Amino acid sequence: MGVKGIRTALKVDLDKPAWEQPGLHNRWHPDVPAHGKIANNEVVKIECLDWTGGQIKNNDSADDVQNVDLTQIHYLSGPFEIETAEPGDVLLVEIQDVQPFEDRPWGFTGIFSPHNGGGFLDEIYPEPAKAIWDFEGIFCSSRHIPHVRFAGLIHPGILGCAPSAEVLAEWNRREGELIATNTRGRDVAKPPEPKNAHAGSADEELKAKIGREGARTIPGRPEHGGNCDIKNLSRGSKVYLPVHVPGAKFSVGDLHFSQGDGEISFCGAIEMAGVITLKFTVIKDGMAKMGMKSPIFHPGPVEPQFGPGRYLTFEGFSVDEHGKQHYLDATVAYRQTCLRAIEYLRRYGYNDYQIYLLLSCAPVQGHIAGLVDIPNACTTLGVPMDIFDFDIRPEAEVVKMDMGSCAFAGK
């Protein structure tokens, strides 16, 4: 008797517009129609487009990054009805494998304009830019950031179950409140956006409703996970997700070949299209049993091995680049940590944008070192030295090289 193969629950068409594919959607809403059923304890393969739906191309210009339409994103595969799942249960999702498509062995990292997505350092580096990465098995390298090669810690950026109507209303309430009281002079959240809303196989009336009410997929949220961008959720990882609607309505997407802690340039992972293999198990009454209010993650055993002492680690504190003191602000501290790494690595011939892209997508390790020593929070960023084919240790002689350039818009 032959071994039963793994079923593909969704196939995507890389040559067809994402908004024409009924197995995809780009808003969180309980009424997005399910795209088929998955049995409890079943293992399936799910194909995914890249998060932009194919808007970014493998070329040497960042015009596509400059002009990307962010009302479309993220394109997620699903939702899928998980049999026997009911509100109050927990859906255990085991990540068995994630791979790029064989005929698309490349991905991209981008720096978006402050007026169109932005990024962690966009006030300092506002120019749209990108790097293309070529995949060689588990390794990647880029013509736009030379002398670097590393193994990808491949993972999905987005996993989540649909919100209930009540949870969705709470999201829109609290994020709307933040928008209404915003004095920062820039976007702090994105409200529901009917433009380019895609709701799978929904008819026009239902699609319009989802467009008016549906939450954007941009942030992760405590009730269901979503766009958490946790780099260590790779093969072998387990994700425990709260269930809020009958059938769970699980969705997945935003696949990454690699990412650094923080994904600092917004489009900071190595974004790719590909296929993910998942096993689903329903844990009845799991939310009450686990006292769960937010997802729980159990990272798997797969991680690039650089060895002890092979990270060059930079420190940052909550004193900003203008000399202003902030009180225990880890965000300010991490921004300064990233800037210290950029200042150090530019000595070898890279431009700042190349390093910004690299720190976004290479498997750097970001940590909060201290949040108790008033007034300064301290954060660290560990850069694996072995991703470079030259010596970046502080005691090594600095040899400045011709590092070319990443891709810029209008070039």
Side-chain angles (χ1 to χ4, degrees):
M1 183 175 179
V3 178
K4 184 178 180 181
I6 299 175
R7 177 172 71 92
T8 298
L10 173 67
K11 283 186 172 292
V12 297
D13 188 338
L14 297 174
D15 299 315
K16 186 176 182 180
W19 57 87
E20 295 181 3
Q21 302 189 44
L24 303 176
H25 66 102
N26 60 9
R27 301 292 188 272
W28 290 114
H29 195 285
D31 296 338
V32 177
H35 186 79
K37 296 182 178 181
I38 297 173
N40 187 15
N41 293 311
E42 186 178 4
V43 178
V44 298
K45 292 181 181 291
I46 299 171
E47 294 185 355
C48 303
L49 299 182
D50 79 78
W51 72 294
T52 72
Q55 295 186 61
I56 309 301
K57 307 302 181 184
N58 186 350
N59 58 31
D60 298 321
S61 168
D63 288 353
D64 47 10
V65 169
Q66 177 172 268
N67 300 319
V68 67
D69 186 346
L70 295 181
T71 64
Q72 298 185 33
I73 57 92
H74 299 78
Y75 283 108
L76 304 180
S77 295
F80 300 96
E81 179 182 339
I82 312 300
E83 294 181 348
T84 78
E86 295 292 339
D89 294 344
V90 165
L91 183 64
L92 167 57
V93 183
E94 298 180 61
I95 302 172
Q96 296 193 348
D97 198 13
V98 196
Q99 297 291 338
F101 289 117
E102 290 185 0
D103 60 350
R104 293 287 178 99
W106 63 274
F108 61 90
T109 305
I111 297 171
F112 282 31
S113 164
H115 308 294
N116 192 31
F120 195 50
L121 304 177
D122 60 11
E123 293 179 0
I124 301 169
Y125 303 114
E127 190 169 350
K130 78 177 180 188
I132 299 296
W133 296 86
D134 296 309
F135 306 148
E136 311 160 70
I138 66 170
F139 293 97
C140 64
S141 59
S142 174
R143 63 185 181 269
H144 295 127
I145 308 176
H147 298 284
V148 170
R149 186 173 186 262
F150 54 87
L153 188 55
I154 191 169
H155 63 280
I158 297 179
L159 293 163
C161 299
S164 63
E166 294 77 16
V167 168
L168 176 61
E170 171 62 11
W171 291 354
N172 287 334
R173 180 202 66 77
R174 68 188 184 216
E175 291 172 25
E177 197 173 81
L178 180 66
I179 293 168
T181 57
N182 176 28
T183 59
R184 292 178 177 268
R186 62 178 300 160
D187 289 344
V188 294
K190 289 290 189 181
E193 171 57 78
K195 181 182 178 182
N196 286 325
H198 181 41
S201 60
D203 61 27
E204 287 303 313
E205 183 178 354
L206 179 56
K207 178 182 175 181
K209 178 177 187 286
I210 291 169
R212 291 192 305 270
E213 302 172 355
R216 301 299 303 277
T217 60
I218 295 166
R221 296 181 175 92
E223 292 85 353
H224 85 144
N227 191 25
C228 294
D229 293 318
I230 299 171
K231 81 176 194 304
N232 295 92
L233 290 183
S234 190
R235 289 165 291 174
S237 297
K238 296 179 179 180
V239 187
Y240 299 81
L241 297 172
V243 174
H244 296 287
V245 299
K249 286 193 170 178
F250 170 86
S251 300
V252 63
D254 188 26
L255 302 186
H256 298 165
F257 190 84
S258 177
Q259 182 204 297
D261 285 332
E263 198 188 7
I264 58 174
S265 77
F266 177 66
C267 179
I270 299 179
E271 310 284 349
M272 67 175 211
V275 57
I276 186 167
T277 306
L278 302 172
K279 180 180 180 181
F280 297 90
T281 304
V282 177
I283 302 174
K284 302 305 293 182
D285 301 315
M287 290 179 68
K289 291 175 181 176
M290 299 179 192
M292 179 184 284
K293 292 185 178 179
S294 297
I296 298 172
F297 306 103
H298 183 189
V302 177
E303 186 167 359
Q305 299 299 309
F306 297 109
R310 299 306 300 166
Y311 288 86
L312 189 61
T313 299
F314 300 87
E315 293 183 6
F317 300 89
S318 47
V319 178
D320 68 24
E321 61 271 20
H322 306 295
K324 181 180 179 181
Q325 179 73 63
H326 298 258
Y327 176 72
L328 296 182
D329 192 324
T331 301
V332 171
Y334 199 61
R335 185 175 289 116
Q336 295 306 305
T337 311
C338 296
L339 290 173
R340 300 296 84 77
I342 290 172
E343 290 160 359
Y344 185 90
L345 292 172
R346 72 161 69 114
R347 303 179 308 155
Y348 301 101
Y350 294 116
N351 66 50
D352 285 15
Y353 283 83
Q354 288 174 300
I355 308 167
Y356 186 14
L357 288 163
L358 181 62
L359 296 180
S360 298
C361 66
V364 302
Q365 292 191 352
H367 295 287
I368 293 176
L371 286 175
V372 296
D373 300 317
I374 62 172
N376 276 328
C378 176
T379 62
T380 62
L381 180 73
V383 178
M385 294 189 287
D386 295 335
I387 69 175
F388 301 94
D389 65 9
F390 56 92
D391 193 345
I392 69 164
R393 291 177 303 161
E395 60 268 31
E397 181 183 356
V398 174
V399 178
K400 195 166 187 176
M401 294 177 280
D402 180 2
M403 296 298 190
S405 179
C406 52
F408 287 101
K411 305 293 174 64

